[in-house]
Amino acid sequence: MGVGFLHGVLPQGLSRSYFISPTKIQVFTTDEVFFPLEIRKELEDELNVKFSVTITRDWDAILANTVASPAVDLIFLPSYWANTLAHQDLLLDIAQTRKQLQNRVASDFLSIKSTGAFHFFPFYWMKTGIQTSKHESFADFLKNKSESFLLLLADEDLLLKHFQLWKEQGLLDEVAQKKVLTLQLDQLNRDLPEEGAMEGPLTQESKELTTSFVSALLVWGAAIPVNSPNKELVLEILETLSSSERQERTLLQTPFNSAFSTVTANSIPLNRRADFIRDLRLKDTIILETKDQEAKNKLRNEFNLIL
C-alpha cells in the first residue's frame, strides 16, 4: 500500500477529494437566519466547499457585488430584491440547467418572479400581522395610550409601505405617539411586549386585524448572479440545501413556512407548508414587488425614522 501511494495511487478507502482544496464560495445574505452557521458547516463537509459569508442589508453593496465580474456566487434575499436585480438581467435563469429545482417549488410561489424566467428560488414565506398584547385590533391599540411600544420588522421597504399607508389612512399622528422599534427576523420568537404590539408571523387568520394593509406577504429565497464564477457548484449547493430531507429537518428551527411542495412530512404542521397560503385571505395584504432604493432616505426624511 505504501509503495502504491508513493507512486500516486490512492490507498483504499481514501477519497480523491480529500487532497483537493475546497472551492471558495462567496455568499451574501440579508439575514443570517437564511444560511446559518450549522447549515454552512454541513454543506462544507458534504460538498468540499468553503463559504465566505457576508451578512448585509446594504442594497448598494449587494448590487455592486452582483454587477461585478466575477460576482458573488450566491445571494439569499427577499423576493422583491431579486425581482429588481432580475429586471437588470443580473441573475441566472436557474431553470435553464436545473429544471428540477423549479419543480420543487409550489405553484403558488412561481408567480412571485420578475419575468418568465426562473431567476429567484423561493425557500420561505410568511404572512405577517401586527399582534397586540391585549388582543385588540390595531386601530384600538393606537388609541390605547397605556400601550407605548410598536415593534416592526427591520425591512426598510415594508416599513416605508406601512408608514405611507398609515399616512393615507390618517393614522400617522397616532403611530407617532408610539415608540417604534425594529425587529430582526431571528427575533420573531420573542414574547409580545407587555405594553405594546409586535409585527410577526400569523399562523391563522385573525379577525382582530381590521385595519387594511396591516398584513404583508413576504417571500425569501436564493439567486445566482449571472457573473458567478461557480454556477454549476452553486446549483449543486441549492439542490442539496433544498432537498426534502434537509428542509423537513430544519424548517421548524426557523420562524418561516416552506415554499416547497415537497416538504410534507408528518412532522411539518399544515400551517407551515406551502399550500397553507391558499387558506389565507390576501385582500388588502401588502405584497412588495420591487426594491425602493431610496427607502431608507424616505423613512428618514418623510417620517423621521432612522434605521
Side-chain angles (χ1 to χ4, degrees):
M1 181 184 294
V3 174
F5 180 61
L6 290 174
H7 283 80
V9 179
L10 293 178
Q12 185 177 3
L14 287 183
S15 168
R16 184 173 297 276
S17 64
Y18 180 85
F19 298 97
I20 300 175
S21 298
T23 303
K24 185 176 181 180
I25 301 296
Q26 291 191 315
V27 180
F28 271 46
T29 179
T30 56
D31 297 85
E32 185 169 12
V33 68
F34 301 141
F35 199 45
L37 180 61
E38 57 271 23
I39 297 296
R40 302 200 300 260
K41 289 191 174 298
E42 286 181 10
L43 293 174
E44 286 178 342
D45 292 340
E46 289 181 36
L47 301 174
N48 193 37
V49 297
K50 183 65 177 178
F51 293 111
S52 173
V53 178
T54 300
I55 303 167
T56 180
R57 288 192 63 88
D58 185 333
W59 167 259
D60 290 335
I62 288 179
L63 178 61
N65 282 274
T66 304
V67 172
S69 184
V72 65
D73 291 299
L74 176 62
I75 310 172
F76 292 95
L77 70 178
S79 61
Y80 66 95
W81 288 41
N83 288 346
T84 305
L85 295 173
H87 285 154
Q88 301 177 51
D89 297 323
L90 295 173
L91 300 181
L92 181 72
D93 182 358
I94 296 173
Q96 288 293 322
T97 54
R98 296 290 175 104
K99 181 70 174 179
Q100 64 268 33
L101 292 182
Q102 184 176 3
N103 293 339
R104 293 179 179 181
V105 179
S107 59
D108 305 86
F109 297 97
L110 291 177
S111 61
I112 304 176
K113 58 188 179 182
S114 56
T115 68
F118 186 57
H119 294 121
F120 174 68
F121 187 32
F123 272 74
Y124 304 119
W125 69 277
M126 177 191 297
K127 186 179 181 186
T128 70
I130 297 178
Q131 303 173 66
T132 67
S133 57
K134 300 186 185 303
H135 306 291
E136 59 199 346
S137 70
F138 182 65
D140 288 340
F141 159 75
L142 291 178
K143 295 173 184 176
N144 191 336
K145 297 187 182 300
S146 68
E147 296 184 284
S148 54
F149 292 97
L150 176 57
L151 278 68
L152 300 173
L153 288 178
D155 181 312
E156 61 268 24
D157 292 77
L158 181 56
L159 284 166
L160 179 61
K161 192 66 175 178
H162 278 318
F163 276 84
Q164 288 173 335
L165 290 168
W166 292 334
K167 182 178 180 179
E168 292 175 10
Q169 295 167 345
L171 299 175
L172 199 56
D173 288 342
E174 292 176 306
V175 171
Q177 300 303 311
K178 307 297 182 182
K179 184 175 179 61
V180 177
L181 304 173
T182 56
L183 195 67
Q184 301 297 325
L185 290 174
D186 59 4
Q187 297 175 303
L188 287 177
N189 60 354
R190 62 162 292 170
D191 294 331
L192 279 169
E194 291 185 4
E195 296 181 350
M198 184 175 77
E199 185 173 25
L202 290 180
T203 56
Q204 59 185 10
E205 288 293 351
S206 172
K207 296 180 180 179
E208 302 298 331
L209 298 174
T210 55
T211 304
S212 295
F213 297 108
V214 168
S215 292
L217 178 63
L218 304 174
V219 181
W220 300 274
I224 304 173
V226 168
N227 291 335
S228 164
N230 298 295
K231 297 183 188 67
E232 284 302 317
L233 183 52
V234 173
L235 286 166
E236 185 178 351
I237 290 168
L238 290 181
E239 188 163 349
T240 303
L241 187 59
S242 63
S243 70
S244 298
E245 182 276 329
R246 177 170 265 108
Q247 287 298 307
E248 289 171 348
R249 174 166 53 86
T250 61
L251 178 67
L252 298 185
Q253 299 170 20
T254 78
F256 309 120
N257 307 322
S258 177
F260 297 119
S261 60
T262 53
V263 176
T264 57
N266 291 336
S267 60
I268 306 299
L270 295 178
N271 62 4
R272 302 291 295 275
R273 301 184 189 187
D275 57 5
F276 182 65
I277 195 172
R278 300 171 190 173
D279 296 332
L280 299 178
R281 298 189 302 272
L282 296 182
K283 181 183 178 182
D284 289 346
T285 298
I286 297 170
I287 299 178
L288 300 169
E289 297 289 347
T290 56
K291 178 82 179 75
D292 186 334
Q293 299 178 42
E294 293 298 318
K296 289 184 178 180
N297 290 334
K298 290 178 181 178
L299 283 170
R300 181 181 64 248
N301 297 334
E302 298 176 24
F303 302 104
N304 196 31
L305 184 63
I306 300 175
L307 296 181

